[in-house]
Amino acid sequence: MRAAVADRPLEEVVALITMLEQSPQYAQATVDALRAVGVNRSVEDVTRLVGLLTRPPRHPTAPTRRSAPPPSAVRWRT
């Protein structure tokens, strides 16, 4: 995975990560790619990548994730 993300332009890395995120079967590959970016790229590149990955609209065709229930809906064990 390192070779796929270490030296490629960030736009290509964004495209790869976005593609991997589309399928749950590639969840670990997505994590590995993000980790490789964090370890092998400069802080500036990582910052820019985060900006590119979080820029709206994000996955317009992907199902929305459910938000966490409100604290009042959580039952705490005592």
Side-chain angles (χ1 to χ4, degrees):
M1 188 58 65
R2 183 200 170 285
V5 299
D7 299 319
R8 294 190 184 274
L10 283 181
E11 290 76 13
E12 289 182 21
V13 175
V14 169
L16 172 65
I17 291 171
T18 301
M19 182 185 66
L20 290 171
E21 286 179 322
Q22 299 300 313
S23 175
Q25 106 185 53
Y26 297 115
Q28 188 58 49
T30 305
V31 170
D32 293 342
L34 290 168
R35 182 176 292 121
V37 169
V39 170
N40 296 295
R41 302 290 288 243
S42 69
V43 172
E44 292 81 12
D45 280 356
V46 173
T47 302
R48 187 166 162 239
L49 180 68
V50 169
L52 291 170
L53 286 173
T54 58
R55 181 177 54 200
R58 184 81 169 119
H59 301 302
T61 60
T64 58
R65 294 182 183 169
R66 286 197 259 163
S67 59
S72 61
V74 177
R75 293 186 180 174
W76 299 98
R77 292 185 184 184
T78 56

